[in-house]
Structure formats: C-alpha cells, structure tokens
Amino acid sequence: MRNGSERDTAAAAAARAGDGAASGSADTAGGVHGVVPRDTVAAVVRQWQTVRPDIDTGPMEVIGRINRCAALLQQAEDAPLRRVGLTRPEFDLLGALRRTGHELTPGELARETFSSGAAVTKRLKQLQERDLVDRRADTRDRRVSHVGLTDTGRDLVDSLLPDQLAYETVVLAGLDADGQGQLSSLLGELLQQLEGRLGLSPGFRG
C-alpha cells in the first residue's frame, strides 16, 4: 500500500487527466439541456457542420466523446498499476481471476476481458514469469490449461484494488454523484445494446 505522499501524487495525476474533460463542459447557451460543450469533439463537430451542413452529427457527438475519453484515460494510464509495473489489461486478467474466485481457461479469460486469445496468452506468460498466476494442464485434455492466481497474485490484487478505485474516484471528481449515476446508467444501456448485437451476455465483464 502507498503512503500519504504517494496517494497525493496519484491523485494529482488523476486530477490532471480529468481537468480537460471537466473544464470543457461549461457554457450556458444552447446545446443539449442548455449546455454547449467546448471540448475537442465540439470543435470537430463544428468543422463538419461548416463543410457538410446537410449531415446529422449527433452520433459523432456521442461516439466521438466516448472514444476521446477512452483515449485520454489510456494515455494517462493508471497510476497505482504503473507503480507496480502492471498494465490495465494485465490487471483485468488478475481481477477476473480474483472476482470469479476460481480457475479459468485462457479462452474464458479472453471472453471475460474482451481480449484476443493471442493477447491473453502473451499477458499470461508475463504474469506467470512474475509468479502472479500459475497454469496447470487439464487432466483429461492436455491441450487445455487452467489458470489461477498465486498467493502473490491474490495479495497484489487485494492491495491494489482500493488504491485503483481511489484513483478512479479522483478521475471522476468533476462529476457529482447524480452526474456519475446518469452517465453510468446511459453507458450501461449502450453497452447492453452493443453486447446484444454481438451475441454477448449483457453486463460488465472486463
């Protein structure tokens, strides 16, 4: 676990990552619900409306912002994970094993984390080298392996999760509780629709 100064550093980094989104959402005339966003996507939309006033840019205003937020969050990385040399996809694998509470095959891990089989294989190799996971061959089919957390891996996830959640709380600090609830609900509806079209079970599996 980190000391106070390390937590403050991570919180400051998270705040910087969220500053752009928070500062770009405050004009009071026009727009949806009386707000005109001034973020980078709004600028892109205005440019398209100038050269192609005949098209509806509504979808771009939603999908563009989702993609932009994802890109900024990825660039900012996750301070608690970076501190221990983990990437977000690696942490997702460890988290999947921890929250399900039992061994999973690489294929099941790929589905749980929405990753390709090749990517999961690479990440598992790196995690196994760090003694965070172990693999055992299936007794009936040697081509199938079962992956589980080591004691070291379980302890790492349990120690990281509170810090990671605290970091994400700071990232979202620009939205009040109602705003976060509304955003979560809307994103949940969109995710459920997308998962339904892809034949996936609705809900969070990352």
Side-chain angles (χ1 to χ4, degrees), residues 111 114 191-203 205:
R111 290 190 293 274
F114 294 123
L191 180 58
Q192 185 171 348
Q193 291 178 24
L194 293 174
E195 289 178 333
R197 293 173 189 171
L198 296 173
L200 302 171
S201 298
R205 300 179 59 189

Side-chain angles (χ1 to χ4, degrees), residues 42-43 48 58 61 99 103 109 120 123 125 176 179 189 205:
W48 276 116
E61 297 178 43
R99 60 184 166 78
E103 294 179 328
L109 282 169
V120 167
R123 291 165 192 154
K125 182 176 184 297
D176 60 21
E189 290 179 18
R205 300 179 59 189

Side-chain angles (χ1 to χ4, degrees), residues 145-206:
S145 62
H146 299 272
V147 182
L149 286 174
T150 63
D151 290 341
T152 301
R154 183 179 298 102
D155 290 344
L156 181 61
V157 172
D158 286 349
S159 67
L160 273 177
L161 188 57
D163 282 353
Q164 184 63 22
L165 290 173
Y167 172 85
E168 293 173 357
T169 297
V170 175
V171 170
L172 294 172
L175 297 175
D176 60 21
D178 287 342
Q180 291 185 34
Q182 292 171 14
L183 179 60
S184 175
S185 178
L186 289 171
L187 289 174
E189 290 179 18
L190 176 61
L191 180 58
Q192 185 171 348
Q193 291 178 24
L194 293 174
E195 289 178 333
R197 293 173 189 171
L198 296 173
L200 302 171
S201 298
F204 177 75
R205 300 179 59 189

